[in-house]
Amino acid sequence: MKLSGLGNDDVQIEKQEVLFDGFMRLSKYTLRHRLFDGGRSPLLEREAITRCPSVGVLLFDPVLHSVVLVEQFRIGPYLGNDDPWMLEVVAGISEPGEALEDVAYREVKEETNCCVERLFPIANIYLSPGGANEKIMLYCGTVDSSKAGGIYGLDEEGEDIKVHVLSFEKAYMMVLDGRICNAPAVMALQWLKLSYSEVIKSAQA
């Protein structure tokens, strides 16, 4: 239950204009919304990106105590003058009507050639609620990492994905020192740090 009691009915869209419609859709909205004191806001203009829900999967080997991460080029950090090759969890966007668990299994196979033995839900979160409707469902998937490695991805999507196997301790240290700095990977590794014993027990049951 929300603390304020405000909801979708308290937003009035006056105008919507599609600015770009490609891999993502960018629209400009002119709107008003109810204020906390009961009044109405002035007319506001907000640009927002809309896209289908996405999925992220942190692959964890409960026997070898290792994680499987992927590395690929990302335009965002490049534009921010950071290293554009990022260590990430496996991730992908759903197709309309596709179950998120199915997306998880599909993307893990495409990006790492690993087979998920069990999925643990972590959280379903907005990545950037100030400018996008995209939610990402984060999972932890148990795998056998003993033979993981290589380069994968779909040629038709321009993917060039390198698979890395790291001890969980090393991966978590990379979160602490900032070498892993993308939100889904940071959150998933922090969740695993907190849930480590429970995941091990559940995977061995």
Side-chain angles (χ1 to χ4, degrees), residues 113-163:
N113 201 35
C114 290
C115 295
V116 174
E117 297 164 358
R118 184 171 177 184
L119 277 179
F120 296 86
I122 297 176
N124 194 15
I125 56 174
Y126 282 100
L127 288 173
S128 184
N133 77 329
E134 182 184 5
K135 295 184 81 173
I136 185 168
M137 180 67 208
L138 289 178
Y139 294 98
C140 177
T142 55
V143 295
D144 175 2
S145 67
S146 62
K147 296 181 180 179
I151 298 174
Y152 298 93
L154 300 178
D155 291 339
E156 61 267 29
E157 295 183 7
E159 294 180 329
D160 181 46
I161 299 170
K162 187 173 184 178
V163 176

Side-chain angles (χ1 to χ4, degrees), residues 69-71 85-89 164 166 174 180-182 185:
L69 299 174
V70 295
E71 180 183 10
W85 275 269
M86 306 203 81
L87 276 178
E88 305 176 333
V89 298
H164 296 271
L166 304 172
M174 293 176 75
I180 293 178
C181 56
N182 64 89

Side-chain angles (χ1 to χ4, degrees), residues 69-130:
L69 299 174
V70 295
E71 180 183 10
Q72 59 186 311
F73 171 80
R74 293 301 195 189
I75 185 64
Y78 172 78
L79 296 174
N81 294 317
D82 286 323
D83 186 348
W85 275 269
M86 306 203 81
L87 276 178
E88 305 176 333
V89 298
V90 170
I93 302 170
S94 65
E95 299 293 338
E98 187 177 17
L100 296 183
E101 285 194 2
D102 292 340
V103 181
Y105 289 111
R106 168 170 57 80
E107 291 295 330
V108 169
K109 190 66 176 176
E110 287 179 4
E111 295 191 3
T112 70
N113 201 35
C114 290
C115 295
V116 174
E117 297 164 358
R118 184 171 177 184
L119 277 179
F120 296 86
I122 297 176
N124 194 15
I125 56 174
Y126 282 100
L127 288 173
S128 184

